[in-house]
Amino acid sequence: MKNLNSLIAFAVLVLVVAGCSSSSNNNNSSNSSNNNSSNNNNSSNSNSTNSSKSSKDAPADSEGVFHDDNAGIRLQAPKGWKTKLDGEQLVITAPDSSMTMVFWVPEGSFESAIKDLDRQLSRKIKRMKTTTNGSESSTNGMPIYTVAGTGEVDGNDIEWSVDIIKAPKKPTIVLSIAQPGAWDKYSAEIKEFVASIKPTS
């Protein structure tokens, strides 16, 4: 479905924009506080670079398990689903492309990242309606906070959700976009997938 594919691309773009915005705010603050100390500034830049590489290079092992050292979690995509590392995001798509999940660990201010994400989604999704506001669950001891709803993109009905996983090291945002009925169609795979999200230590 052409319009759904454009929405998937939009979902990734939203996270890239939000990530860059938060990272920029964080770097500006760091540079301002370190104007009188070049050694501290160099150390900060080195840490930022290492953190970025950790997210970008997070590979799947021989069993298809992805590790994210920034968040301190591991997960395994459902069998047959497509996976892609796109910059700072792990993108997981259903075999028929009716659902896409994008995982993202904010590098800067978590609050700013959430605000940017909300603003970008509100601009793209028309007739946006929240059907689940603040439900709580958990997986393997990690709390999950969920907001979900419906809307319309390019004249097509969609279902969306934003999950915040309280991972051991850093909170992880999961943006899911789906065609109506996809959640029910893949309910078993999604349940197994959620159960695969575990702390790395």
Side-chain angles (χ1 to χ4, degrees):
M1 183 176 179
K2 182 177 180 181
N3 288 325
L4 183 64
N5 289 335
S6 67
L7 180 58
I8 292 171
F10 163 74
V12 176
L13 177 62
V14 165
L15 297 184
V16 170
V17 171
C20 288
S21 174
S22 296
S23 179
S24 176
N25 289 338
N26 187 57
N27 288 338
N28 288 339
S29 175
S30 176
N31 290 337
S32 176
S33 63
N34 291 324
N35 279 337
N36 296 325
S37 176
S38 60
N39 289 336
N40 287 343
N41 189 49
N42 290 335
S43 175
S44 175
N45 289 337
S46 176
N47 290 338
S48 176
T49 300
N50 291 337
S51 174
S52 178
K53 287 182 178 179
S54 178
S55 282
K56 290 180 180 179
D57 297 336
D61 62 20
S62 59
E63 296 182 352
V65 177
F66 288 85
H67 299 259
D68 194 312
D69 293 334
N70 284 340
I73 59 173
R74 62 190 294 272
L75 57 90
Q76 184 167 19
K79 292 182 180 179
W81 288 48
K82 293 167 283 188
T83 59
K84 177 183 178 183
L85 284 171
D86 192 335
E88 300 298 324
Q89 290 80 42
L90 170 62
V91 183
I92 302 177
T93 306
D96 61 359
S97 298
S98 63
M99 174 183 289
T100 289
M101 296 177 285
V102 186
F103 284 72
W104 170 49
V105 179
E107 290 187 357
S109 166
F110 184 77
E111 290 75 15
S112 295
I114 290 295
K115 289 180 181 178
D116 288 341
L117 176 60
D118 178 64
R119 183 167 58 253
Q120 294 294 336
L121 288 176
S122 298
R123 288 177 179 173
K124 182 64 177 180
I125 301 177
K126 308 300 180 184
R127 299 181 183 177
M128 192 173 182
K129 180 180 179 181
T130 300
T131 56
T132 301
N133 192 3
S135 70
E136 295 183 33
S137 58
S138 66
T139 181
N140 296 303
M142 297 180 293
I144 302 176
Y145 178 85
T146 301
V147 177
T150 59
E152 183 180 293
V153 174
D154 297 330
N156 295 289
D157 292 333
I158 59 100
E159 297 174 349
W160 59 269
S161 74
V162 175
D163 297 277
I164 301 172
I165 304 173
K166 191 176 180 182
K169 294 182 179 179
K170 286 187 177 182
T172 300
I173 300 174
V174 185
L175 170 63
S176 302
I177 303 290
Q179 293 179 2
W183 291 102
D184 292 333
K185 179 178 180 179
Y186 291 110
S187 60
E189 288 90 337
I190 293 172
K191 182 177 180 180
E192 184 176 350
F193 170 66
V194 173
S196 80
I197 305 174
K198 302 175 180 179
T200 53
S201 59

